[in-house]
Amino acid sequence: MKITTIFAKKIFAIVRPEFHENEFRRYLSIWNDVEYLKNFYDENKDIILQNPYLKIKNVHDFIEQIFDETELLEESIEEHFKNNILNELFNYLFKKITPQNHSYKKIKQTLLRIYGIKLEDEYLVTGGAIKITEKMQQHPETVKQLEILKQCKNFLKENQIEDLDSLLDYIEN
């Protein structure tokens, strides 16, 4: 697994072996791919249309909302980074914080999520998802993201990456 810098030694992202780009850029690309979004909508239409919190009536609404949220997400990350308040952007993934999951974080829009792990004041993006169910365990895409978070946390532990210095050492080597 590789790790790359996204925003000047504050936000990093993994590069999974099966993909060429980091997970942050990969998800931004996916969320701007009309064909991918149409397929996702078609495969999950019943869930999306039955969700009372989503005000989506058709595929056009869905795609438009994803495009808008992707743009807002990018702007929000840049703004929080510039103002040095990333900790206000990244929220705990779980309401109940335990020692096992205290470092799992997310950036949340209505539908979009960026998942990551907090080291000290740095964040490692591990993936993303279009979240259409109340709980992550209710949809295969978000279940997969939970597993990736666990794998990445184990990877960090195995490689003794626990702060910015050890992360930068790993990247350099």
Side-chain angles (χ1 to χ4, degrees), residues 17-160:
E18 62 269 32
F19 301 111
H20 297 292
E21 56 187 338
N22 69 60
E23 289 298 278
F24 179 75
R25 293 283 167 224
R26 193 169 81 79
Y27 277 94
L28 292 180
S29 296
I30 287 171
W31 296 334
N32 280 297
D33 182 340
V34 173
E35 203 59 41
Y36 172 86
L37 296 175
K38 282 181 183 177
N39 290 335
F40 185 94
Y41 178 85
D42 289 341
E43 291 170 13
N44 297 282
K45 185 177 182 177
D46 292 339
I47 298 169
I48 294 168
L49 294 176
Q50 291 174 11
N51 187 326
Y53 299 105
L54 304 178
K55 304 209 180 348
I56 295 173
K57 295 178 178 70
N58 55 48
V59 68
H60 175 74
D61 291 349
F62 176 74
I63 292 171
E64 188 174 315
Q65 184 163 342
I66 297 295
F67 282 174
D68 290 347
E69 287 190 25
T70 302
E71 187 176 330
L72 284 171
L73 186 72
E74 286 184 278
E75 290 170 2
S76 183
I77 291 170
E78 288 181 31
E79 189 65 30
H80 282 77
F81 173 74
K82 286 178 189 172
N83 293 315
N84 200 25
I85 52 172
L86 287 173
N87 59 330
E88 293 178 12
L89 179 64
F90 284 87
N91 299 303
Y92 283 108
L93 184 58
F94 302 105
K95 291 179 184 172
K96 182 179 178 190
I97 307 304
T98 65
Q100 293 85 6
N101 68 28
H102 80 278
S103 64
Y104 293 162
K105 298 287 192 159
K106 67 182 172 190
I107 300 175
K108 177 181 167 184
Q109 295 285 327
T110 301
L111 285 170
L112 299 183
R113 302 290 189 276
I114 293 285
Y115 299 108
I117 296 173
K118 182 176 182 182
L119 295 172
E120 288 178 320
D121 292 326
E122 301 76 39
Y123 298 88
L124 176 64
V125 173
T126 60
I130 300 172
K131 188 169 182 281
I132 56 174
T133 56
E134 183 181 351
K135 297 184 180 191
M136 290 183 76
Q137 296 83 354
Q138 296 172 322
H139 195 273
E141 287 298 312
T142 46
V143 167
K144 184 170 95 176
Q145 291 303 314
L146 283 171
E147 184 56 37
I148 292 169
L149 276 164
K150 290 175 190 172
Q151 290 170 2
C152 288
K153 192 165 186 175
N154 289 336
F155 173 82
L156 294 174
K157 188 175 182 178
E158 289 168 9
N159 288 281
Q160 300 174 333

Side-chain angles (χ1 to χ4, degrees), residues 157-170:
K157 188 175 182 178
E158 289 168 9
N159 288 281
Q160 300 174 333
I161 300 170
E162 52 200 32
D163 57 19
L164 180 60
D165 290 337
S166 55
L167 178 63
L168 294 175
D169 286 346
Y170 178 83

